[in-house]
Amino acid sequence: MFKPSSFVRCLALGAALVPLSSTAQECKATNAAYEISQDEANQLYNCLAERLAALPENVTGIPGVPDYRDWEVVSTAPLPSATHGSMLVNHIVSPEAAALYKQWEQMSGKKFPPGAILAKESLMIDSDGNTSPGPLFLMEKTAAGTAPDTDDWIYSRIFTDGRIQRTLGPGSANLDFCHDCHAATIDQFDAMFFPPERYRIETSQD
Ligand code: HEC
């Protein structure tokens, strides 16, 4: 009998064994990003996992990279993110950020310590259902006074070709829009938006 789960395992195994060009063919979405189920989003993520993990290999000097690959994933599946280019994203938290982030809206008024980092991997789905790794997004809390215009948050966007944009670093102005939006929650949630509730892992708060 055909079992979807073993089919997925086959795809994952195939991804490890075949060249990238044919891997890309296999990681095909059957729904648009907005209609995708959590199961399908997770299958696509697993299918692209190796290529996503390869993304930061040439990136040096950015705190949290490549360490984020060992951190806790706090979303139950990659979720459609209208604010980050209509892609699927998953939310990942550094050990310094985890306890407070997982309080979700209950964190009200508290601040993350310097060194706390939030990461989001992204996957893109084109109109034909073809998928590919997208940029990596990072927010890093720095010591008071380090980045006064962005409430001491340093934003980074790392593209699949290795290009880096970073607050106070290369292409900083291209990231002004990040904090323009994230600042909306600065007082209550220290610039966090959190995944929608149905995409949050269970925590002791729930
Ligand atoms: C128009 C508003 C908007 C803009 C612009 C924006 N974000 Fe976000 N961001 C969100 C929302 C909403 C979430 C939570 C849901 C999601 O992931 O889509 C989020 C989540 C995040 C998170 C996870 C932490 C959290 O808030 O829960 C990171 C990291 C992040 N964004 C980085 C960035 C970076 C880097 C940029 C700029 C390249 C950026 N964002 C631009 C709205 C925005």
Side-chain angles (χ1 to χ4, degrees):
M1 205 183 98
F2 173 71
K3 288 207 197 103
S5 57
S6 44
F7 179 59
V8 172
R9 273 200 298 277
C10 274
L11 282 186
L13 185 63
L17 298 176
V18 295
L20 291 186
S21 54
S22 46
T23 309
Q25 304 293 316
E26 289 165 4
C27 305
K28 192 125 182 175
T30 57
N31 287 292
Y34 277 92
E35 290 157 3
I36 226 156
S37 68
Q38 294 204 19
D39 277 353
E40 184 174 0
N42 277 322
Q43 285 166 22
L44 291 171
Y45 181 86
N46 290 339
C47 190
L48 287 174
E50 279 215 359
R51 291 171 65 200
L52 280 162
L55 184 143
E57 241 147 49
N58 299 323
V59 175
T60 52
I62 304 284
V65 184
D67 318 15
Y68 75 88
R69 294 185 299 199
D70 298 324
W71 294 345
E72 184 176 5
V73 179
V74 292
S75 45
T76 49
L79 52 111
S81 178
T83 48
H84 299 84
S86 298
M87 44 183 60
L88 297 177
V89 298
N90 61 359
H91 288 219
I92 306 170
V93 297
S94 76
E96 296 82 357
L100 190 55
Y101 192 82
K102 289 189 291 177
Q103 290 180 20
W104 315 119
E105 285 82 2
Q106 308 296 314
M107 72 167 272
S108 191
K110 302 194 193 91
K111 297 285 174 195
F112 287 90
I117 303 177
L118 299 306
K120 296 208 309 191
E121 291 174 308
S122 67
L123 25 144
M124 326 276 283
I125 304 178
D126 72 12
S127 50
D128 296 323
N130 296 313
T131 58
S132 55
L136 174 69
F137 300 89
L138 296 168
M139 289 175 69
E140 177 194 348
K141 189 61 169 296
T142 53
T146 307
D149 292 343
T150 50
D151 296 292
D152 298 315
W153 283 106
I154 300 275
Y155 294 79
S156 300
R157 181 161 55 177
I158 299 169
F159 294 93
T160 49
D161 61 6
R163 255 182 324 130
I164 297 171
Q165 294 172 338
R166 189 161 162 81
T167 306
L168 302 179
S172 183
N174 294 304
L175 299 186
D176 286 350
F177 79 109
C178 306
H179 197 65
D180 288 350
C181 184
H182 275 263
T185 69
I186 192 76
D187 292 335
Q188 266 195 299
F189 310 129
D190 201 9
M192 296 294 102
F193 279 108
F194 312 114
E197 274 180 36
R198 67 183 187 286
Y199 282 96
R200 296 177 187 176
I201 57 160
E202 281 189 26
T203 63
S204 49
Q205 307 286 317
D206 298 329

